[in-house]
Amino acid sequence: MHHVNSGHQSSNNAAYRPDQQPFFRFLLDITAYLLIPGFTILFVRGSNWFTTNFSVLGNDIERENAFVFWGLLVGIYFFVILQMISSYLVPPLKTTFFIPLALLLLVFAITTPYLPKQLPLKATLHVAFAFLSSVCLAVFLVLLLCDLSRRIPEAIRLYQAGLFMILLISAFLLLAAGIVSSALEIFFTISITIFCRQLEKRLFFLCQFLNGKL
């Protein structure tokens, strides 16, 4: 039988876990609902969301540091929240390697310049790293929800529909613009950020009030 991690059942055990402390969870809420959405939209201010993207904007000397900060903020958030989600599952997922891989690819994308005319090879690598980072994140979430659907089908059905809609709208934005546009990057970043926060809260609730059993 599959179980949600029983290490989260008691308040005594939770006291030794920084990620279960109220202040830490409050910081996660601030990051997911305010910092990432706000900074993501602020980063693209004054640009056309459908004809440009974060890579192009990140080459602007005035936005270069902001691009690095945005990448680190988003990368660290996803690494933390997905590790938290994974820790609830017993037995654990075998696909958690997608989490550090996505973060590593994001770091490669941020540190690889996007200058198609001057450095075409590095520009191609930048695009590949950024795209594969998002793919790794999406694949992990799909596999995670497939696993959860076998453990807690009723409790997770709404999240399956939500992830499907996020991926469907993302595909539409990609086809509509013909490129990985700022509109796509904004939508995917904000929607997946909030989705992961809500999913973690749902699993935390189940662990606290259902004693870790399906």
Side-chain angles (χ1 to χ4, degrees):
M1 177 182 291
H2 291 293
H3 296 279
V4 182
N5 194 335
S6 58
H8 296 263
Q9 292 177 27
S10 69
S11 58
N12 290 333
N13 288 340
Y16 295 99
R17 292 183 56 95
D19 60 332
Q20 299 305 306
Q21 297 305 303
F23 182 70
F24 184 87
R25 299 184 66 80
F26 172 73
L27 288 179
L28 277 179
D29 286 339
I30 292 295
T31 302
Y33 302 133
L34 293 177
L35 289 182
I36 291 180
F39 196 81
T40 298
I41 294 175
L42 183 64
F43 177 71
V44 298
R45 69 189 185 284
S47 66
N48 188 313
W49 290 11
F50 289 92
T51 59
T52 188
N53 55 43
F54 283 26
S55 299
V56 174
L57 296 174
N59 283 326
D60 186 341
I61 191 64
E62 296 181 356
R63 303 182 197 239
E64 186 176 359
N65 291 334
F67 181 57
V68 173
F69 176 79
W70 174 85
L72 291 175
L73 177 65
V74 170
I76 292 172
Y77 167 81
F78 279 120
F79 182 79
V80 171
I81 198 72
L82 294 179
Q83 290 287 0
M84 289 173 63
I85 289 172
S86 300
S87 71
Y88 291 120
L89 308 183
V90 177
L93 285 175
K94 297 179 180 179
T95 54
T96 53
F97 66 88
F98 278 112
I99 301 173
L101 180 57
L103 179 60
L104 183 63
L105 288 168
L106 179 60
V107 171
F108 286 164
I110 293 172
T111 56
T112 303
Y114 182 74
L115 299 169
K117 295 182 179 179
Q118 298 93 325
L119 301 169
L121 177 58
K122 289 188 175 182
T124 300
L125 289 174
H126 171 94
V127 173
F129 291 146
F131 179 75
L132 290 175
S133 176
S134 298
V135 169
C136 286
L137 176 59
V139 168
F140 174 77
L141 288 174
V142 169
L143 294 176
L144 170 68
L145 290 183
C146 286
D147 184 82
L148 288 173
S149 68
R150 293 190 290 270
R151 304 174 189 235
I152 44 175
E154 294 299 326
I156 216 68
R157 191 163 297 160
L158 181 62
Y159 294 90
Q160 289 179 298
L163 182 60
F164 175 78
M165 288 303 300
I166 290 173
L167 297 179
L168 183 63
I169 294 173
S170 296
F172 172 78
L173 290 173
L174 177 62
L175 294 174
I179 61 170
V180 178
S181 63
S182 293
L184 171 56
E185 292 170 319
I186 293 167
F187 171 77
F188 185 80
T189 299
I190 296 177
S191 61
I192 290 293
T193 294
I194 296 175
F195 174 86
C196 288
R197 187 71 192 106
Q198 290 297 113
L199 177 60
E200 190 279 331
K201 286 186 174 185
R202 179 60 170 165
L203 295 180
F204 177 76
F205 172 84
L206 292 174
C207 288
Q208 292 293 311
F209 296 99
L210 300 181
N211 295 321
K213 295 182 180 181
L214 297 179

